[in-house]
Amino acid sequence: MVLSAAALCLTACSTATETEGTPVEPGSSIDSEQAEAALETYRSAQELYITVVQGESELDEALPELEELSSGQALEAFTADARAFEEAGVTFEGTPSSTPEVTGLDTEADPAVATITDCWDDAAWQPVSEEGQPLEFEDGQPSRRVINARAEQQEQGWVLTQMSPEEGRTC
């Protein structure tokens, strides 16, 4: 069975929207403590998503924590992808790799905003059917792609608000 990349696509390739950049001026430094806090939110949300699509936890059980870590388009991307895989009877084996970094941080904005750029690699992450049979994505979907994310600092901490692939760009 071949999965249609358009019909079933990881959070990493959910509907693309422009993430508003928070450029960093050359020579400026990023507040490493705030950057690490934003990255921790990103990593935690991704890990939670991964456990759901691997079948290790149910989306409804994970949703309260996912709602603490994400909102808006990012939350919609996580939940829509997880539900699409669930409805198709697809889970994943293995583990994707991810190398996110904060590429922009504006602590003067209200709310403070962090731009995160990630190289998502799912070459070691195999989709499988309900029967445990390996599935393949259609040709043309690279295993490595750039994901852009936006996080905003809320009262409870950093929250992911947008996630989108950079179409046509691999890493």
Side-chain angles (χ1 to χ4, degrees):
M1 178 177 187
V2 176
L3 294 176
S4 166
L8 293 174
C9 207
L10 306 177
T11 294
C13 67
S14 293
T15 304
T17 58
E18 292 296 319
T19 47
E20 296 173 33
T22 51
V24 177
E25 295 298 320
S28 67
S29 62
I30 292 179
D31 180 326
S32 61
E33 185 176 313
Q34 290 299 322
E36 187 54 40
L39 282 175
E40 182 57 34
T41 296
Y42 179 85
R43 288 183 196 115
S44 295
Q46 287 285 18
E47 288 172 15
L48 190 56
Y49 168 78
I50 290 167
T51 63
V52 169
V53 297
Q54 286 178 328
E56 296 174 14
S57 65
E58 296 292 324
L59 178 58
D60 291 339
E61 294 170 4
L63 201 50
E65 186 177 354
L66 197 53
E67 289 171 336
E68 290 177 17
L69 298 168
S70 62
S71 68
Q73 184 273 337
L75 178 60
E76 289 172 18
F78 284 127
T79 57
D81 284 349
R83 288 197 197 288
F85 286 126
E86 180 181 62
E87 289 171 8
V90 174
T91 57
F92 286 78
E93 294 178 351
T95 306
S97 66
S98 174
T99 53
E101 63 180 286
V102 172
T103 53
L105 183 65
D106 185 353
T107 57
E108 301 299 316
D110 186 22
V113 176
T115 300
I116 300 167
T117 303
D118 187 9
C119 179
W120 174 272
D121 185 350
D122 59 17
W125 206 32
Q126 176 68 49
V128 295
S129 68
E130 289 177 298
E131 298 79 29
Q133 297 299 313
L135 303 172
E136 295 181 21
F137 285 108
E138 288 181 350
D139 290 339
Q141 180 174 332
S143 64
R144 293 170 50 107
R145 55 200 167 277
V146 174
I147 306 302
N148 293 308
R150 176 185 170 101
E152 296 178 2
Q153 193 171 36
Q154 306 293 325
E155 287 182 27
Q156 73 273 25
W158 287 95
V159 175
L160 292 177
T161 58
Q162 295 180 359
M163 289 188 55
S164 63
E166 199 166 315
E167 296 299 328
R169 182 173 169 210
T170 61
C171 48

